[in-house]
Amino acid sequence: TPTLDPAGQAAVLRALVRTRRSNAKPLILRTLDPSADVELRRAVSWGLAALNLSAETKPYPHDDLVAPLIDLLGDEDGVVRMNAAQALGRMGPHAAPAIDALVARLADPETYVAGHASVALANVGEPAYAPLDVALREGPRDASDDVVWVLRQLGGERARSILRRATEHDDALVRVRAAVGLHAMGDPAASALALLTPALEETEDVEVLLAALSGLGRLGREAAPARAAVVALQSHSHERVRRSATNVLSGLPDEAPR
């Protein structure tokens, strides 16, 4: 395909993968070039994601793809990064060498990239716990929601321990998201309320307020003790906060249980 323009090369790659031609993988790897046209980079990353990467295949024949996919996770194009994360997600535990690169993508400016990176980390399994712990303690707050989601998927006492430590984090947003995650994993509503209610009363950070209100909404009627704090936010200057407060109140009884 060297004589074809980038669009033509991209079309050939897609056709080869769709027909599962035996030479698709070697051709994709030969065509992999970070300086190539974006359409060709998208086709290469799509082709890697479309291969049969099932972790159930034994012996596993695709360990050689992990390094190229890690490189693609750093591409300037969001679609390329998404395709790379999706491919790694299909590799299950074989994607473990990409954990750090995947964790970094949890803060990706494109939410669809972060979403696929989250799934890939959940599919990696046990080796992801420690990097996720570091990410929750030291990483950007924007990634904390996805980190908590992955820990919920991994489950177990180790995930709960990481989230419990995070409820003491310096950043109220991380504390709130950790509390909501723990409740989703079975912790009592009272434990979540002990963190969510003060968050409503002690901050003007809109992200924290919205996260706490979202968490209270998931508690349903069990969020009744926070009613007064929620009512106060109906007069907040930010429209989304006012709207979220009204939504939470619609699921609460008129008065908190005595």
Side-chain angles (χ1 to χ4, degrees), residues 31-38 40-41 75:
T31 311
L32 186 59
D33 178 0
S35 64
D37 178 86
V38 65
L40 184 54
R41 300 200 315 275
D75 195 276

Side-chain angles (χ1 to χ4, degrees), residues 4 32 36 58 71 77 102-103 119 138 145 151 153 157 164 167 190-191 195 202 210 214 224 230 246 248:
L4 297 175
L32 186 59
K58 298 184 187 304
D71 290 339
D77 181 69
L102 288 166
V103 169
V119 171
E138 303 175 8
D145 199 26
L151 287 167
Q153 306 315 302
E157 188 53 39
R164 288 186 183 115
T167 61
S191 298
L195 280 164
E202 298 171 0
L210 290 173
S214 175
V230 177
T246 299
V248 172

Side-chain angles (χ1 to χ4, degrees), residues 15 24 43-44 63 75 142 144-145 158 162 169 181 195 206-208 253:
V44 167
D63 287 324
D75 195 276
D142 293 345
S144 58
D145 199 26
R158 190 167 179 186
I162 293 170
H169 198 280
L195 280 164
V206 170
E207 273 196 271
V208 175

Side-chain angles (χ1 to χ4, degrees), residues 33-164:
D33 178 0
S35 64
D37 178 86
V38 65
E39 287 304 318
L40 184 54
R41 300 200 315 275
R42 287 181 176 184
V44 167
S45 60
W46 172 86
L48 292 173
L51 292 173
N52 181 11
L53 302 176
S54 172
E56 302 302 316
T57 308
K58 298 184 187 304
Y60 194 68
H62 298 307
D63 287 324
D64 59 331
L65 296 183
V66 176
L69 288 168
I70 290 172
D71 290 339
L72 290 171
L73 281 176
D75 195 276
E76 64 183 22
D77 181 69
V79 173
V80 174
R81 298 195 303 274
M82 176 190 71
N83 288 337
Q86 187 176 42
L88 289 163
R90 292 174 176 166
M91 298 174 78
H94 297 280
I99 286 176
D100 288 342
L102 288 166
V103 169
R105 294 273 63 85
L106 296 182
D108 198 283
E110 305 292 354
T111 56
Y112 55 84
V113 177
H116 282 289
S118 298
V119 171
L121 286 163
N123 290 345
V124 166
E126 191 274 339
Y129 280 118
L132 290 168
D133 186 11
V134 174
L136 200 54
R137 286 187 285 109
E138 303 175 8
R141 70 184 334 221
D142 293 345
S144 58
D145 199 26
D146 286 305
V147 173
V148 170
W149 182 88
V150 178
L151 287 167
R152 284 176 52 198
Q153 306 315 302
L154 292 173
E157 188 53 39
R158 190 167 179 186
R160 287 186 173 86
S161 295
I162 293 170
L163 291 174
R164 288 186 183 115

